């Protein structure tokens, strides 16, 4: 039997990257943005940096607010993307 893939070759699991954003429209409904689906982060800082860099693109796709989660725990939000 072969051993499992070493960590450098396996995809990170949700346990490895527990931080994620729920993307929402103005009514609070979830918005799916295909190119950013399943985006997860290993730290809160990484998640916050990502949304800080990409918020304008998200807004172009109809995202009005974001909510940050660690696993299933809501950390904060919804946070508006409008200036």
């Amino acid at each position: 039997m072969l051993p499992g893939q070493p960590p450098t070759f396996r995809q990170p699991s949700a346990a490895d990257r527990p931080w994620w954003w729920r993307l929402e429209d103005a009514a609070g409904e979830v918005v799916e943005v295909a190119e950013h689906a399943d985006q997860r982060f290993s730290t809160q800082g990484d998640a916050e940096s990502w949304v800080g860099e990409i918020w304008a693109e998200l807004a172009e796709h109809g995202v009005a607010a974001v909510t940050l989660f660690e696993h299933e725990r809501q950390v904060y939000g919804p946070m508006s993307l409008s200036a």
Side-chain angles (χ1 to χ4, degrees):
M1 174 178 250
L2 295 174
Q5 288 186 343
T8 55
F9 296 112
R10 69 174 168 78
Q11 289 293 95
S13 69
D16 296 329
R17 295 182 175 218
W19 298 90
W20 59 281
W21 293 99
R22 181 175 63 208
L23 311 177
E24 304 165 2
D25 65 15
E29 298 297 319
V30 173
V31 176
E32 297 291 333
V33 179
E35 54 268 20
H36 302 299
D38 299 325
Q39 190 73 31
R40 298 185 73 100
F41 307 90
S42 56
T43 68
Q44 181 176 354
D46 288 346
E48 291 170 335
S49 292
W50 178 81
V51 85
E53 293 171 7
I54 200 165
W55 69 270
E57 180 183 334
L58 295 174
E60 289 175 5
H61 288 282
V63 178
V66 293
T67 300
L68 182 64
F69 287 84
E70 179 184 23
H71 295 290
E72 299 304 316
R73 178 181 69 91
Q74 182 175 333
V75 178
Y76 63 82
M79 178 177 69
S80 174
L81 296 185
S82 65

